[in-house]
Amino acid sequence: MKQFHWMLFFVAPLSAHMVSMSTGDLKVDGAHATYELRMPMYEVAHVREPEHTLLDRVRFQSGGVWAKVSGQACRQEQDTYVCTAEYRFPAPIETLLAECTLASVTVPNHVHLLRAYRGDKSDQAVFDLSYTQAEIRFRPPTAFETATREISGGFMRAAGGLAPLLFLVSLVLAARSRRELVALTASFLAAEALACVIAPRLALTWSPRFIEAAAALTIAYLAFEIILLSQSGMRWLVVAVLGLFHGTYFAAFLTESGYRVATFLTGVVWCELLLIALFAFLLERLVRLSFLRRAVPVAASLLLAVGVAWFFLRLRA
């Protein structure tokens, strides 16, 4: 019974979606603004009274005064939940302070992409659990500002998902030497980059459920290799194939955000390299302890169970 409780502890976080994203369009006209929020229906299922809760989590301020809502409505359009709202400001809008806390009422890794328009000028911002406010200035960003935003966006996306983190742990466990860890890391990063480049050019549209189920299977399969195929060769090739599936998650974000592949992937790669180095350092210290000699197979067994449970959980969702 105690083992069952431990399994529930590790499986419970899987109720959060790997791909959790919503978009919003704000159109400004003088002292008036119209906002449209679009969120997948599978995210709305977690929200109580979404027709009020969602719009309450998005606010706009101009001239130090929060906008007044003059009307709002929500509806379902096939697999998307759409909410619209009208805002009134005391004076014509020059700059805006946008606040978004949707991650607090959906899932912790939820990302909201806001696009704002005023005449022929536009700006955008990305919000998550740790980044809830942004200034909208309606001017073309400098090259440095654009690069910084896109690199930080890639870094945060790589660090903010449970599936990517678990797979990086699996990758470190799968490496039987430092040399092999370098080879696995290189093949994984190359596959992710390849997926980000080719996925937007394909006619296929990957659903969030498919991406999550595939990511869960990659974790389970690599754990299976560690446990039962400990002497297998060409493991770098296996990791490369599995990395293609993880790259589809970042490709989906790139498609929605319009970020450039090179700068976005720079942030992703730096984050994943830091995490791999951290996990490898911790594993090396753990296996030196006599009572943790079997840390690798035990951790791999747990990852196998989590991956399989996550896969079936998403199939039933």
Side-chain angles (χ1 to χ4, degrees), residues 19-36:
V19 182
S20 180
M21 183 182 296
S22 60
T23 59
D25 289 322
L26 181 72
K27 297 180 179 179
V28 174
D29 182 12
H32 174 265
T34 302
Y35 174 69
E36 180 179 84

Side-chain angles (χ1 to χ4, degrees), residues 154-192:
F155 193 98
M156 295 303 296
R157 299 292 74 74
L162 180 61
L165 293 178
L166 290 180
F167 187 83
L168 293 182
V169 173
S170 301
L171 185 148
V172 171
L173 293 175
R176 291 159 290 198
S177 65
R178 291 185 179 180
R179 182 177 180 179
E180 187 175 33
L181 178 60
V182 172
L184 296 183
T185 300
S187 62
F188 174 67
L189 295 178
E192 278 192 325

Side-chain angles (χ1 to χ4, degrees), residues 12 20 37 54 84 86 98 103 131 143 147 185 200 212 227 231 265 314:
S20 180
L37 167 68
L54 295 179
T84 58
E86 303 287 332
Y131 191 78
T185 300
E212 290 190 50
I227 299 169
Q231 303 303 317
L265 285 180
R314 283 295 166 258

Side-chain angles (χ1 to χ4, degrees), residues 7-315:
M7 185 59 65
L8 286 178
F9 174 79
F10 283 101
V11 173
L14 303 184
S15 58
H17 301 291
M18 174 184 176
V19 182
S20 180
M21 183 182 296
S22 60
T23 59
D25 289 322
L26 181 72
K27 297 180 179 179
V28 174
D29 182 12
H32 174 265
T34 302
Y35 174 69
E36 180 179 84
L37 167 68
R38 303 182 68 87
M39 181 177 293
M41 285 301 301
Y42 67 85
E43 296 289 356
V44 180
H46 302 286
V47 182
R48 185 178 180 181
E49 298 182 349
E51 65 276 10
H52 303 296
T53 304
L54 295 179
L55 289 174
D56 288 345
R57 296 292 172 171
V58 182
R59 300 195 301 166
F60 303 100
Q61 183 186 99
S62 179
V65 180
W66 291 105
K68 294 182 179 180
V69 181
S70 58
Q72 62 183 47
C74 294
R75 64 188 185 279
Q76 181 177 346
E77 293 183 359
Q78 296 182 343
D79 295 330
T80 304
Y81 196 69
V82 182
C83 292
T84 58
E86 303 287 332
Y87 295 92
R88 295 287 182 181
F89 296 85
I93 301 167
E94 293 297 328
T95 61
L96 274 175
L97 176 67
E99 180 182 87
C100 174
T101 55
L102 287 171
S104 64
V105 296
T106 52
V107 291
N109 63 318
H110 184 80
V111 177
H112 181 66
L113 175 63
L114 172 67
R115 303 183 185 92
Y117 307 90
R118 191 188 67 187
D120 59 349
K121 299 179 180 179
S122 64
D123 202 352
Q124 69 176 37
V126 178
F127 302 90
D128 56 24
L129 189 63
S130 60
Y131 191 78
T132 60
Q133 289 189 342
E135 186 179 11
I136 307 296
R137 287 169 285 185
F138 299 107
R139 64 166 178 79
T142 65
F144 177 77
E145 289 173 337
T146 299
T148 301
R149 180 177 63 189
E150 295 178 356
I151 291 172
S152 61
F155 193 98
M156 295 303 296
R157 299 292 74 74
L162 180 61
L165 293 178
L166 290 180
F167 187 83
L168 293 182
V169 173
S170 301
L171 185 148
V172 171
L173 293 175
R176 291 159 290 198
S177 65
R178 291 185 179 180
R179 182 177 180 179
E180 187 175 33
L181 178 60
V182 172
L184 296 183
T185 300
S187 62
F188 174 67
L189 295 178
E192 278 192 325
L194 180 62
C196 288
V197 172
I198 65 175
R201 293 172 169 79
L202 299 178
L204 297 175
T205 301
W206 308 108
S207 68
R209 182 186 298 181
F210 172 83
I211 295 175
E212 290 190 50
L217 280 184
T218 63
I219 297 168
Y221 183 81
L222 194 52
F224 175 83
E225 276 248 344
I226 298 170
I227 299 169
L228 299 179
L229 302 174
S230 58
Q231 303 303 317
S232 64
M234 303 290 284
R235 188 167 283 179
W236 66 269
L237 183 58
V238 173
V239 169
V241 174
L242 301 181
L244 290 172
F245 291 99
H246 283 267
T248 59
Y249 162 63
F250 298 118
F253 181 83
L254 280 169
T255 300
E256 290 288 343
S257 66
Y259 285 2
R260 294 170 298 179
V261 175
T263 48
F264 178 80
L265 285 180
T266 298
V268 171
V269 169
W270 274 111
C271 180
E272 291 180 336
L273 285 175
L274 289 173
L275 289 172
I276 289 171
L278 174 62
F279 295 152
F281 174 80
L282 294 176
L283 179 63
E284 185 178 356
R285 294 298 182 272
L286 286 175
V287 296
R288 289 181 180 180
L289 302 176
S290 58
F291 63 94
L292 289 176
R293 293 292 183 182
R294 293 186 54 80
V296 172
V298 170
S301 299
L302 180 59
L303 286 170
L304 176 60
V306 170
V308 172
W310 196 350
F311 174 73
F312 284 106
L313 184 64
R314 283 295 166 258
L315 285 185

